[in-house]
Amino acid sequence: MESRELTDISNVIFHDVGAIIHSQQVLAGVHAELDKNQFRPFEQDYIYQEHYGTIPSQPRKMVINGVTITSRVLHQTGIGLQDVNGADLLYEIEGEKFGLIQYKRSNTRGVKGDAEQLQKLLSNCPEKCIHFKRRPIPKDWLPLKTNSFCGAWYSVIDENGEQKFVHACEAETIFKNSQSVQNKEFDFGLSKSTFLELFSSCRVGALVRIPLDKRVKDGYLESLLANHHLIFEIVQKGKWSVK
């Protein structure tokens, strides 16, 4: 192996590791805001608790294909009734990955965006994501391929209650400099059921760690080494700071 090739491979791996550390920091910050809300709920939270028996930011669990997904409301949960990290809802496979979702309701005239909120959502994206670094994304790139580092998503709800999920950076390209766009611009998006299926199978969402492959226990690494594969072992020590 040439030294340049080793350098290129190492850079890719460290970009992956950097994205995971970044996502850990983002998630830690989200949890810190939720903890504050749990400790000192807002007036509206008490009203919801009186009516529903729980405050919005308390976790709710669902099981998709045997995988437990925790959801928590971020809408108007932060300081000053702001949305946490520009998102309305958190999906999380605890200890594995998460997704921050921003929701917009459409009507017959289209979808009205919120540029400031969308930029806050995009700020959660790691440097790993080439699409985020190459903003604005050319429209002919849409739809983007899904990846295991994107935790920022944008969901449009139509008049029938159907949802279409797109990457936050895709939403930025769709809106461009417009305050509103036609509903059809989001037709290529994922349905809610498809999004949750992909999320539960770890094909979308931001990784906060790479699960240990069960094949490692079956001599998989030994077979790779025997066939002259290069293996990197990354060990994380210590705690990350709140971003």
Side-chain angles (χ1 to χ4, degrees), residues 104 106 111 154-158 162-165 183 186:
K104 293 299 173 193
S106 68
V111 184
Y154 195 92
S155 177
V156 172
I157 309 167
D158 68 18
E162 298 294 326
Q163 296 184 45
K164 291 293 184 181
F165 286 77
N183 295 337
F186 295 91

Side-chain angles (χ1 to χ4, degrees), residues 74-76 83-90 100-102 117 121:
L74 304 180
H75 178 66
Q76 295 185 352
D83 301 333
V84 177
N85 287 47
D88 297 307
L89 192 69
L90 167 70
L100 298 170
I101 320 296
Q102 184 179 131
Q117 186 188 16
L121 182 65

Side-chain angles (χ1 to χ4, degrees), residues 19-173:
I20 291 172
I21 296 298
H22 173 89
S23 294
Q24 290 175 351
Q25 292 176 314
V26 168
L27 185 59
V30 170
H31 278 210
E33 287 295 318
L34 289 170
D35 289 344
K36 291 177 186 176
N37 182 252
Q38 294 275 306
F39 178 72
R40 193 181 296 276
F42 300 122
E43 180 180 312
Q44 68 175 24
D45 296 322
Y46 282 110
I47 296 171
Y48 281 118
Q49 189 170 40
E50 283 292 312
H51 185 68
Y52 295 108
T54 181
I55 66 174
S57 61
Q58 287 183 329
R60 174 179 174 270
K61 297 184 183 294
M62 67 183 97
V63 178
I64 307 290
N65 294 330
V67 177
T68 300
I69 298 174
T70 302
S71 64
R72 302 184 73 175
V73 172
L74 304 180
H75 178 66
Q76 295 185 352
T77 303
I79 296 173
L81 294 180
Q82 294 186 28
D83 301 333
V84 177
N85 287 47
D88 297 307
L89 192 69
L90 167 70
Y91 281 128
E92 183 180 0
I93 300 175
E94 295 182 17
E96 302 287 346
K97 70 183 334 180
F98 70 91
L100 298 170
I101 320 296
Q102 184 179 131
Y103 290 87
K104 293 299 173 193
R105 186 68 188 254
S106 68
N107 54 41
T108 54
R109 290 177 292 181
V111 184
K112 186 176 181 180
D114 183 331
E116 183 179 354
Q117 186 188 16
L118 182 54
Q119 290 306 311
K120 287 181 180 178
L121 182 65
L122 282 164
S123 69
N124 299 295
C125 297
E127 283 295 309
K128 166 70 180 178
C129 186
I130 62 170
H131 307 305
F132 181 61
K133 290 196 294 183
R134 293 182 183 177
R135 290 168 44 213
I137 302 167
K139 199 164 186 178
D140 58 5
W141 282 22
L142 306 185
L144 300 175
K145 293 181 179 179
T146 58
N147 63 72
S148 295
F149 295 96
C150 181
W153 289 81
Y154 195 92
S155 177
V156 172
I157 309 167
D158 68 18
E159 291 184 298
N160 298 316
E162 298 294 326
Q163 296 184 45
K164 291 293 184 181
F165 286 77
V166 301
H167 296 86
C169 53
E170 290 178 318
E172 182 188 44
T173 293

